[in-house]
Amino acid sequence: AIQHRLWPEVDRLVKQQVAMARMGIGECGTGWQLFAEDGEMKMYRREEEVDGMVVDPLKAVHVVKGITGHEVCDYFFNPKYRYDWETTLEHMTVLETISDDTLVFLQTHKRIWPASQRDVVFWSHMRKLPNDQDRDGPDIWTVVNNSTESPEHPANVGKCVRIYLTVCLLCQTRVHPPKDGAPITRNNVSCKITYCSVVNPGGWAPASVLRAVYKREYPKFLKRFTSYVINQTKNKPLMF
Ligand SMILES: CCCc1ccc(-c2ccc(S(=O)(=O)CCO)cc2)cc1[C@H]1C[C@H]1c1ccccn1
């Protein structure tokens, strides 16, 4: 296939992010704090500051019954669903369709008082990966979002402060075949979701405010997004 201008960066980031997402929290270095837990969902963060700005890496692990990794990644990647589940989104534009699995987005997020409003430009890539740990197991699906430049939308020109992020959503489908050899239904599948993100807020914002926002918003985001996928897929045929 022909490679596009971002391909080398996309391929490198995907490999790096997937490797990190697949590591257990214990292997990801020290200093991870469990800061939110709700049923199967566990959210960890590490307190890190760069130039006095909070850039706390976040890692969330969740297991959701009745949906597949392909379905989760499709609803996360595809712009037509984003306003349905991304509550902090004020505006989203697809700046470029590089290929059917690689898009460039411009998003403005709702302002969080007292911080100024933020925007972000990022490429988003969705990919199926071979399940090298379980050959005949279902494939692994991932979406990686990574900040990128856009000459048409230079940073910090308008009212918004440009943020910089790297996000990886890694989904591993599990099938629990029914005893009696019956066909696989949604009751026989679950998806292990790993969500990793590092967000640099771009301009100064009070550490206490940012940490409070993340503590409130990340659990809400993951629960709302997974509930959305469950509702959207419940009467549809399984997509592996
Ligand atoms: C000062 C930082 C403000 C801020 C910057 C960035 C983001 C943000 C952007 C993108 C993505 S995503 O995972 O790529 C899904 C596509 O939208 C997640 C989060 C959220 C907030 C703020 C609005 C808060 C928030 C935090 C966590 C989750 C959702 N919203």
Side-chain angles (χ1 to χ4, degrees):
I2 46 148
Q3 296 203 348
H4 52 68
R5 71 174 181 10
L6 287 172
W7 181 254
E9 177 186 332
V10 166
D11 202 41
R12 180 174 53 81
L13 254 295
V14 167
K15 288 182 168 113
Q16 174 202 87
Q17 288 296 310
V18 165
M20 276 179 32
R22 294 174 85 166
M23 282 195 268
I25 200 72
E27 308 161 75
C28 284
T30 55
W32 289 93
Q33 309 160 11
L34 178 66
F35 76 91
E37 198 166 0
D38 180 330
E40 291 295 316
M41 183 182 78
K42 291 182 171 55
M43 282 204 153
Y44 303 84
R45 70 164 174 210
R46 243 196 358 246
E47 298 210 352
E48 262 177 45
E49 301 197 6
V50 170
D51 305 334
M53 286 188 298
V54 167
V55 292
D56 302 357
L58 177 125
K59 182 161 187 164
V61 184
H62 197 3
V63 178
V64 182
K65 288 186 172 56
I67 52 180
T68 67
H70 189 180
E71 291 167 342
V72 172
C73 285
D74 193 46
Y75 283 102
F76 186 75
F77 174 77
N78 196 318
K80 70 182 175 195
Y81 304 119
R82 194 155 301 168
Y83 284 110
D84 296 346
W85 54 265
E86 177 64 288
T87 48
T88 64
L89 195 58
E90 185 177 87
H91 192 250
M92 170 198 69
T93 319
V94 176
L95 297 179
E96 218 177 324
T97 300
I98 294 195
S99 60
D100 60 0
D101 62 11
T102 308
L103 305 173
V104 179
F105 289 96
L106 164 66
Q107 294 189 170
T108 55
H109 286 259
K110 288 175 186 148
R111 180 166 179 243
I112 297 141
W113 186 88
S116 39
Q117 188 169 26
R118 260 63 186 178
D119 69 7
V120 56
V121 174
F122 59 93
W123 54 255
S124 184
H125 175 72
M126 178 165 160
R127 183 182 296 187
K128 179 169 69 172
L129 302 156
N131 186 336
D132 51 18
Q133 267 145 9
D134 169 6
R135 287 218 178 286
D136 51 13
D139 297 312
I140 293 170
W141 284 87
T142 189
V143 176
V144 175
N145 295 344
N146 191 51
S147 288
T148 191
E149 300 294 315
S150 161
E152 298 75 26
H153 299 87
N156 307 317
V157 167
K159 62 181 166 36
C160 289
V161 170
R162 179 65 48 90
I163 66 154
Y164 299 90
L165 58 77
T166 302
V167 165
C168 177
L169 181 76
L170 184 82
C171 297
Q172 298 159 273
T173 307
R174 294 166 174 169
V175 180
H176 332 276
K179 304 276 172 296
D180 52 7
I184 304 286
T185 69
R186 288 198 177 276
N187 297 331
N188 312 122
V189 300
S190 64
C191 182
K192 181 183 174 193
I193 299 170
T194 304
Y195 175 88
C196 300
S197 89
V198 178
V199 174
N200 181 321
W204 186 82
S208 56
V209 167
L210 279 178
R211 288 191 169 124
V213 163
Y214 294 153
K215 192 173 170 74
R216 185 183 72 235
E217 292 294 337
Y218 275 116
K220 201 165 85 178
F221 148 71
L222 198 54
K223 281 168 65 68
R224 177 182 171 95
F225 171 65
T226 50
S227 310
Y228 174 76
V229 176
I230 289 165
N231 278 317
Q232 290 293 313
T233 54
K234 65 186 169 198
N235 301 319
K236 291 192 177 103
L238 279 161
M239 184 169 75
F240 285 101

